[in-house]
Amino acid sequence: MGELMVIRHGQTEWSLSGRYAGRTDVPLTAAGEDAARALAPRLAERRPAAVFSSPLGRALRTAELAGLTGVEPDPDLLEWDYGGYEGLTAEQIQEARPGWDLWRDGVAPGGADRPGEQLQQVAARTDAVLDRIRPLLADGDVAVVAHGHLARVLTVRWLGLDPSAARLLGHPHPGTLGFLATEHGQPVVAAWNVP
């Protein structure tokens, strides 16, 4: 059985400054492109049987620069819709909502184009992705190129945990890999934040 390789897109100006970039299509920085290229040798060794990506440019560009082919865009891999918090930093949000925590408190609604999502909605999307991927793992590794918070929720759902447990995982750095596997029939995190 193959492993699920979870790839966080490379650095953007917003990830560098700590701004929440859910659905805003922010391009990769030069450093983000370099980090994506640096993933290519490790991914070439693995030769994934299938590759899925968020349809946002930063994820698709990461997949391209990392040498992944046959990439299928999947809207269920979009980042959390941060609603009214899109483009803000955690510090800015906490100025208005002291003690705010994304995993506990969620997001405020935004406009019609960014209504915001609750954690359970993000988890439902990752569950759908996992339902589609699990059968493919019989043929080898599967890669997904996605976003930081989405990757954390996907990982804890792989482990069969409540989505709020995602707060216990360190935020994946831009342009890094995580490996989700099984050990003695149980889902495990084989590696996390691998450059």
Side-chain angles (χ1 to χ4, degrees):
M1 182 166 172
E3 292 184 341
L4 175 53
M5 299 183 293
V6 180
I7 303 161
R8 181 173 179 206
H9 64 75
Q11 179 192 80
T12 68
E13 288 294 336
W14 283 24
S15 67
L16 185 60
S17 64
R19 293 172 67 186
Y20 285 97
R23 305 299 169 87
T24 303
D25 209 356
V26 184
L28 298 177
T29 61
E33 290 190 349
D34 289 345
R37 282 186 200 95
L39 295 172
R42 180 175 293 252
L43 294 172
E45 293 171 5
R46 302 296 291 250
R47 299 180 198 198
V51 181
F52 301 94
S53 175
S54 161
L56 293 178
R58 59 188 181 266
L60 291 169
R61 181 74 172 140
T62 296
E64 175 190 355
L65 294 171
L68 296 170
T69 58
V71 178
E72 294 183 43
D74 186 336
D76 283 336
L77 290 171
L78 283 164
E79 180 60 293
W80 194 325
D81 179 350
Y82 297 120
Y85 295 157
E86 183 78 9
L88 300 178
T89 65
E91 292 78 20
Q92 290 171 318
I93 298 165
Q94 287 179 357
E95 285 176 15
R97 286 183 71 183
W100 172 81
D101 178 79
L102 175 65
W103 306 105
R104 182 190 61 231
D105 304 321
V107 302
D113 60 333
R114 287 195 176 85
E117 281 183 295
Q118 298 309 311
L119 179 55
Q120 292 299 330
Q121 292 172 292
V122 179
R125 290 193 289 113
T126 63
D127 288 349
V129 169
L130 291 171
D131 286 347
R132 292 190 296 272
I133 286 175
R134 281 187 181 101
L136 303 176
L137 292 169
D139 297 326
D141 295 333
V142 174
V144 298
V145 185
H147 311 274
H149 285 125
L150 188 283
R152 290 166 76 175
V153 175
L154 179 90
T155 299
V156 299
R157 297 305 293 152
W158 170 265
L159 296 171
L161 301 174
D162 186 84
S164 65
R167 73 186 185 289
L168 302 173
L169 285 174
H171 202 66
H173 300 296
T176 60
L177 300 166
F179 295 90
L180 308 181
T182 57
E183 193 173 282
H184 306 296
Q186 298 297 313
V188 298
V189 177
W192 191 250
N193 256 337
V194 177

